[in-house]
Amino acid sequence: MKWTVWFLLIAAVGNALYHLGQKSLHDVAVNPLLILCVYYVLAGVLCVVAMPFFGKVEWASVTALASNGRVWLVALGILLIELGFLLAYQSGGSVQWSGVAVNGLAALLLIPLSLWLFHESFSWHKLLGIVLTLLGLYFLVKK
C-alpha cells in the first residue's frame, strides 16, 4: 500500500477527532477566538513534541517561513476553517453532514482555482464528479 493512503488515513482520523471535539464544545460559553487560541497552543505543544520524529529541526527556518505569504495563506485558511466549524456547531450544526458539506463546497471552489493557478487538467469524469457533489450537497441540506 502506498504511503499516501496511510497519510490520508491519518488525516481522516484527525478530521473525525476534530469534528467530535468541536461539536462537543458547542455549549461552552467562551469567546470562540479564545477557544481557537487554546487549540493552537496545545497543537503547537504537540508539534514540538512530535518534531524530532520527522527529521532534523532547524529553528532558523522559522523566520523564512513566517515571512512567506503562502504560510500566511494557510494560517488564514486554518483560522477560517476552525472558526467556521466552531460557530456552525455552536449554532446547532450537525456533525453528521457538516464536514462532508464543507469539503464538497471546498472542492467546488478549488476546481477553477486549480485550473487557473496550477494548470491542472479537467475531464468529463471530473465534471460528473462536480454534478454528483452538487447533488450530494442538495440531499445533505434538504430537510
Side-chain angles (χ1 to χ4, degrees):
M1 189 178 303
K2 291 184 178 180
W3 280 105
T4 304
V5 174
W6 290 108
F7 297 151
L8 292 174
L9 180 61
I10 290 169
V13 169
N15 201 339
L17 293 174
Y18 164 83
H19 285 283
L20 290 173
Q22 281 279 54
K23 180 65 176 178
S24 69
L25 290 170
H26 73 281
D27 58 351
V28 175
V30 177
N31 183 319
L33 293 175
L34 178 62
I35 294 172
L36 294 182
C37 286
V38 173
Y39 289 167
Y40 298 144
V41 168
L42 295 175
V45 169
L46 293 173
C47 286
V48 169
V49 169
M51 241 187 271
F53 298 105
F54 290 86
K56 183 180 177 189
V57 177
E58 297 179 16
W59 291 102
S61 303
V62 171
T63 304
L65 286 170
S67 64
N68 186 325
R70 292 171 292 181
V71 172
W72 282 91
L73 185 65
V74 173
L76 178 60
I78 291 169
L79 176 66
L80 292 175
I81 291 167
E82 303 277 356
L83 185 60
F85 277 118
L86 182 63
L87 294 174
Y89 289 144
Q90 285 182 344
S91 69
S94 169
V95 76
Q96 291 180 31
W97 65 268
S98 296
V100 174
V102 167
N103 285 325
L105 286 170
L108 294 175
L109 292 170
L110 286 170
I111 290 168
L113 292 171
S114 67
L115 294 170
W116 176 50
L117 296 172
F118 303 111
H119 309 290
E120 293 182 0
S121 64
F122 191 75
S123 67
W124 290 106
H125 293 100
K126 292 180 182 176
L127 181 60
L128 179 60
I130 292 170
V131 171
L132 291 173
T133 299
L134 289 170
L135 192 60
L137 288 171
Y138 169 76
F139 284 115
L140 283 171
V141 299
K142 184 181 178 199
K143 294 190 180 205

